[in-house]
Amino acid sequence: MIDDISPAATWEAVRGRPNAWLVDVRTPMEWEHIGVPDLSGAGKALVRDSWQLPPAGQVNPDFIATLEKAGIGRTDEVYFICRSGARSMAAAHAAYDAGYHNVHNVADGFEGPEDATGSRGRLAGWQASELPWSRG
């Protein structure tokens, strides 16, 4: 089973533990136009590894290979984040099946659910938690 971890707890883990990684599984368009978690304050770099590829949304066949190329070890802590938590959960399961057994899903993702106006980033998630982030 993959645990949902709050954005704040994820930030604390990535900031405080040398073998903790944050992997953003959204698309390059999302990274560029919406923003990304900024891990510079933790002295780390965000790993960008799309789970699904545009335009059709097929699963990225190089997903696990990209984790390996990033230097993420099979025993490291890996936190997966997407827009709202669904793609990152699928990615976490795939990583678990590939031998990464210390994986977590960031609850509510980067933007979280829509509010009453249809906007994201205000109710829950990385942005609403006021954690560090930057544009693309």
Side-chain angles (χ1 to χ4, degrees):
M1 181 166 149
I2 310 297
D3 291 329
D4 279 326
I5 305 296
S6 74
T10 299
W11 170 244
E12 290 303 316
V14 170
R15 189 170 66 167
R17 298 197 279 274
N19 291 330
W21 300 79
L22 182 59
V23 179
D24 192 325
V25 303
R26 296 174 298 147
T27 64
M29 183 183 294
E30 290 172 293
W31 300 328
E32 182 178 331
H33 295 288
I34 297 167
V36 294
D38 180 357
L39 305 184
S40 61
K44 295 186 177 179
L46 176 69
V47 176
R48 299 179 192 203
D49 188 7
S50 295
W51 171 244
Q52 294 176 303
L53 301 175
Q58 72 272 16
V59 172
N60 179 359
D62 297 322
F63 182 76
I64 298 300
T66 301
L67 297 178
E68 293 168 349
K69 287 178 191 171
I72 300 173
R74 294 289 202 270
T75 59
D76 291 349
E77 292 178 65
V78 189
Y79 296 82
F80 293 95
I81 191 169
C82 66
R83 181 183 69 188
S84 60
R87 284 176 286 173
S88 52
M89 181 61 85
H93 279 286
Y96 185 89
D97 291 345
Y100 292 88
H101 290 164
N102 196 2
V103 297
H104 311 277
N105 184 52
V106 180
D108 296 309
F110 186 71
E111 296 179 79
E114 292 182 350
D115 65 14
T117 69
S119 297
R120 293 180 183 272
R122 297 180 181 152
L123 297 179
W126 191 274
Q127 288 178 313
S129 298
E130 299 182 356
L131 296 169
W133 66 279
S134 63
R135 295 277 178 206

